[in-house]
Amino acid sequence: MVDLRTISPIDWVTVISSVRRTKRAIIVHEAPKTLGVGAEIAAKLHEDLFYVMESPVQRVAGFDMPYPPARVEEQYLPSVDRILDAVDRSLAY
């Protein structure tokens, strides 16, 4: 597991070496799925490690909508169930 503390600069050496070792990647972040930093990381992994990976990059993110009010925030943010579903999809590929 790699927990990126910064996105500028992104520690590509650590990310790529981790994916090379596991041959899988699941990206979890709170931002919307489309056009977020997770999409950039997924694209870079696809470009560099396409023939190494055993399954497509899975992304678990917020929904493609404006950030919701606090009272419905839990439905927007990635949940444990959504993350585990991505893990299952990656392992079943």
Side-chain angles (χ1 to χ4, degrees):
M1 180 173 114
V2 175
D3 185 3
L4 293 175
R5 298 297 176 158
T6 64
I7 57 172
S8 182
I10 291 179
D11 185 2
W12 289 116
V13 172
T14 301
V15 173
I16 289 174
S17 68
S18 177
V19 174
R20 273 191 193 281
R21 185 173 39 82
T22 63
K23 298 180 179 16
R24 300 177 192 281
I26 299 170
I27 299 168
V28 180
H29 64 96
E30 295 179 1
K33 186 175 184 179
T34 303
L35 304 173
V37 69
E40 288 299 316
I41 294 170
K44 174 79 168 161
L45 293 175
H46 176 76
E47 289 171 357
D48 292 356
L49 301 174
F50 180 78
Y51 293 107
V52 173
M53 297 183 69
E54 293 183 3
S55 69
V57 175
Q58 299 292 315
R59 292 185 293 153
V60 182
F63 298 107
D64 290 333
M65 59 180 270
Y67 201 85
R71 68 179 182 277
V72 292
E73 183 178 52
E74 283 190 28
Q75 285 79 32
Y76 174 84
L77 296 175
S79 66
V80 172
D81 289 336
R82 288 174 55 203
I83 295 168
L84 292 176
D85 183 49
V87 170
D88 289 343
R89 284 192 316 268
S90 180
L91 293 174
Y93 194 83

